[in-house]
Amino acid sequence: MTTTPQSAAEKSCELPRVSGERFAGYAVIGAPFASGHYLALRRFPANSIGEGYTSVWHRDPGGAWTVYSDVPAELSCPRFLGHALSRTEQTDVSAEWTGPTGLHVTAGGELEWDLRMATSPATTVMNVAGKLMPDALWHSPAVLSAMGRVAGPMLGVGKVRLDGHVPNGQWFRANPRQLWTAHTVRAVVGGSDLGPDGPLPEQTAFGDFWLPQRALFATVQAWFEPFDAGRHFAARPDAEHSVGD
């Protein structure tokens, strides 16, 4: 039986058996637009810090990032990204499958995004290799570093790092277990159509986490250093920063 993005996403809720703040689910790792906009999605039904959540990230052509989440910023992606954001919004966020390869995403009344996923020779090779790799290797920083160096050129997405540090200061490890290419059918933010897919003039990153220059969808396990208010930046960009600022 062929595994589709929808069927994979609906099964991808096993937390990694490691220490740290752990997350499992699926993601549009990133989707660049020729207009200079950028979108990303995180759907983590299972995590070790609170209830499941969905977040959508949006970067405008000027480089300002907004993250929309359906739970408080402190319990979603801004927990790790807040220092690099211009705005966080807690609102209704949904990711609904319209078919085995189709996804419809909304965030409040501001954002609507339709995607289609597909396989490619590169994602097929990486998925086969990933299935054969022992679980212990997925948790090795050395292996993750090597995987990132291989994945970038193979997938044609620019730089890739699967470990490092996020803007709020925590270390991270990411395991994209199954991969597909993604294509935006239509995306509207604040009433403006973002236009066609296309790489940014310069690849963008959140700390050591580089966002792909071609849209990718993945089932994901990830874990992070536990948040420490004394050493890490706050989830909300307008909040008082930690003593490490």
Side-chain angles (χ1 to χ4, degrees):
M1 181 176 175
T2 300
T3 300
T4 67
Q6 180 186 19
S7 63
E10 290 172 347
K11 295 182 200 174
S12 60
C13 294
E14 183 180 353
L15 291 175
R17 292 185 283 273
V18 292
S19 61
E21 297 182 348
R22 299 167 295 146
F23 301 80
Y26 64 87
V28 180
I29 300 174
F33 292 82
S35 59
H37 289 270
Y38 201 100
L39 291 175
L41 168 75
R42 299 295 183 270
R43 169 64 183 149
F44 289 129
N47 69 76
S48 64
I49 64 169
E51 60 186 285
Y53 73 86
T54 308
S55 286
V56 181
W57 312 351
H58 171 241
R59 175 194 184 271
D60 68 24
W65 282 98
T66 297
V67 170
Y68 306 90
S69 300
D70 59 359
V71 299
E74 292 79 8
L75 298 175
S76 59
C77 296
R79 182 181 184 90
F80 311 104
L81 309 179
H83 191 50
L85 303 178
S86 296
R87 183 167 66 112
T88 63
E89 289 289 333
Q90 184 177 352
T91 186
D92 293 331
V93 182
S94 70
E96 300 291 338
W97 290 97
T98 59
T101 63
L103 192 61
H104 178 69
V105 179
T106 60
E110 286 194 37
L111 184 148
E112 189 167 4
W113 186 19
D114 285 289
L115 300 112
R116 295 289 182 272
M117 273 57 83
T119 58
S120 72
T123 60
T124 298
V125 169
M126 295 200 71
N127 288 341
V128 170
K131 287 181 180 179
L132 296 174
M133 193 163 74
D135 195 63
L137 294 184
W138 282 102
H139 302 155
S140 163
V143 171
L144 293 180
S145 179
M147 288 177 62
R149 290 195 297 271
V150 170
M154 179 175 287
L155 296 167
V157 297
K159 297 178 183 177
V160 172
R161 280 199 65 173
L162 301 178
D163 66 327
H165 287 81
V166 288
N168 283 10
Q170 301 98 314
W171 54 255
F172 75 91
R173 309 282 187 268
N175 287 175
R177 291 303 187 107
Q178 294 172 287
L179 285 166
W180 286 265
T181 61
H183 166 68
T184 293
V185 177
R186 183 169 181 261
V188 176
V189 177
S192 297
D193 193 304
L194 304 193
D197 297 323
L200 299 182
E202 293 186 14
Q203 188 176 5
T204 189
F206 277 123
D208 292 326
F209 178 68
W210 289 88
L211 290 156
Q213 286 283 62
R214 296 175 64 185
L216 290 174
F217 175 87
T219 59
V220 176
Q221 291 182 337
W223 61 104
F224 297 78
E225 179 182 2
F227 179 76
D228 181 339
R231 298 188 296 111
H232 300 142
F233 290 107
R236 300 174 191 270
D238 56 352
E240 182 178 353
H241 288 149
S242 75
V243 294
D245 189 7

